[in-house]
Amino acid sequence: MNILTASQFDQAKLTRIFATADKIRSSPGRWHGEVSDKLLGSVFFEPSTRTRLSFEAAMVRLGGQVISVENANLNSSKAKGESLEDTVQTLSQYVDCIVIRHPEEGAIQQAACASDVPVINGGDWANEHPTQALLDLYTIVHEKYWPERLKIMFTGDLLCSRTAQPFIKILLRYDVDIYVTSQIPTICSNKIKTISEGDIGECLRDIDVLYMTRHQWERSKEREVSEFVLTPALVETMKKDAIILHPLPRTKELPKSIDNYPQAVYLKKQVKNGMWVRMALLYELLTEKSLG
Ligand code: CP
């Protein structure tokens, strides 16, 4: 099985994976050795801190091993003109699972057809980043009770965000009210309300989750994007049990002065949950077993 899109996870699969992640996080050392004969290949054609390193940490913590190409534009045979399909087919002769990040929309989905082992999409252009969507949802489920009807607001560069769009698609499976500060053209639902920047302050007071994104300047410079910046004064108006998520990296929209507020879970909890969820996914993919 490949992991190519957030949409492939229905509620039952999400519940099962989160239960596996819960078991792993409650006794992390217990699973060391479960995939000790397995090898993960990671090939990143775009920069990454969290996705690549958390997948690699997840694999090593499960007792498996990793071979890795970072900056693959320069450090793989792509630099000599090799196609992504040929790179992936080759790597799939060496390893048991491959995680790829690529700057072209749909490239990973296409390359997965050439692989003899499962392929995980680590982010393709502004299109998909399925494991980020899973860890974001896991963070809400785990760090916060799920209120009767979850209210979540998305701010920032939603048009070019590969984290917000897949996440919204899986959130729509649940009882949610979603507020967005710019339109997301690929998704249409009466659960989504577009609000103006002038209404962000009022919305902040009422929501359970604030999901911030940065300006994706590397994907498109010629656009007007939100100038919204979260301030300590605004956080003071939020519910005490609300949480602030950000897929990171952040820029000026989320200043360091917010980091010590109890609502700020992005730097530690959300990041660490990424490793637990990726351990759960690798465990299920490589052992064909579930702990959930
Ligand atoms: N959230 C995320 O994808 O971060 P990286 O770009 O550092 O992997």
Side-chain angles (χ1 to χ4, degrees), residues 139-140 143-144 152-153 155 204 207-213 228 230-232 234-236 238-248 250 253-255 257-270:
T139 302
I140 296 177
E143 306 305 336
K144 185 173 173 54
I152 177 166
M153 175 165 63
T155 61
L204 268 179
I207 53 168
D208 306 295
V209 181
L210 170 63
Y211 191 99
M212 304 188 72
T213 63
F228 174 69
L230 190 62
T231 62
L234 283 170
V235 178
E236 300 283 355
M238 294 176 70
K239 291 183 194 169
K240 295 292 171 244
D241 62 352
I243 57 172
I244 303 164
L245 300 180
H246 194 304
L248 305 174
R250 61 172 157 183
E253 73 284 350
L254 184 53
S257 54
I258 308 299
D259 293 355
N260 290 329
Y261 279 89
Q263 293 97 332
V265 302
Y266 41 86
L267 270 184
K268 291 187 180 168
K269 291 177 174 170
Q270 190 181 0

Side-chain angles (χ1 to χ4, degrees), residues 272-289:
K272 200 148 200 172
N273 286 338
M275 187 177 71
W276 303 130
V277 167
R278 287 168 177 139
M279 282 176 82
L281 288 168
L282 288 173
Y283 180 89
E284 292 201 356
L285 271 182
L286 294 169
T287 66
E288 296 181 1
K289 289 189 290 187

Side-chain angles (χ1 to χ4, degrees), residues 44 47-52 101 122 129 132 162-163 247-249:
F44 277 61
S48 168
T49 301
R50 280 146 291 272
T51 309
R52 186 170 74 85
R101 173 169 287 183
H129 193 352
Q132 180 72 42
R162 66 176 160 222
T163 66
L248 305 174

Side-chain angles (χ1 to χ4, degrees), residues 5-144:
T5 164
S7 306
Q8 75 189 69
F9 295 94
D10 59 20
Q11 276 196 41
K13 278 188 194 154
L14 291 165
T15 303
R16 195 198 65 223
I17 289 162
F18 293 170
T20 297
D22 278 346
K23 283 225 169 85
I24 287 173
R25 73 183 279 164
S26 66
S27 52
R30 189 168 152 204
W31 316 104
H32 191 91
E34 288 280 348
V35 299
S36 57
D37 59 341
K38 305 289 187 198
L39 187 55
L40 171 74
S42 80
V43 189
F44 277 61
F45 292 88
E46 273 190 353
S48 168
T49 301
R50 280 146 291 272
T51 309
R52 186 170 74 85
L53 295 177
S54 66
F55 263 115
E56 296 187 6
M59 191 64 183
V60 172
R61 280 175 178 268
L62 287 170
Q65 296 190 61
V66 180
I67 57 172
S68 185
V69 190
E70 54 100 23
N71 201 354
N73 283 314
L74 288 179
N75 296 330
S76 74
S77 285
K78 163 92 188 293
K80 296 181 275 185
E82 184 170 72
S83 69
L84 182 61
E85 280 86 350
D86 283 0
T87 303
V88 167
Q89 191 165 57
T90 302
L91 185 56
S92 75
Q93 308 312 307
Y94 307 146
V95 302
D96 301 288
C97 182
I98 302 172
V99 57
I100 312 173
R101 173 169 287 183
H102 200 277
E104 284 167 38
E105 179 172 356
I108 299 170
Q109 290 82 343
Q110 208 175 323
C113 301
S115 177
D116 291 337
V117 299
V119 168
I120 302 173
N121 182 350
D124 65 308
W125 196 70
N127 184 40
E128 278 283 354
H129 193 352
T131 62
Q132 180 72 42
L134 266 57
L135 79 90
D136 292 337
L137 185 63
Y138 181 73
T139 302
I140 296 177
V141 171
H142 208 277
E143 306 305 336
K144 185 173 173 54

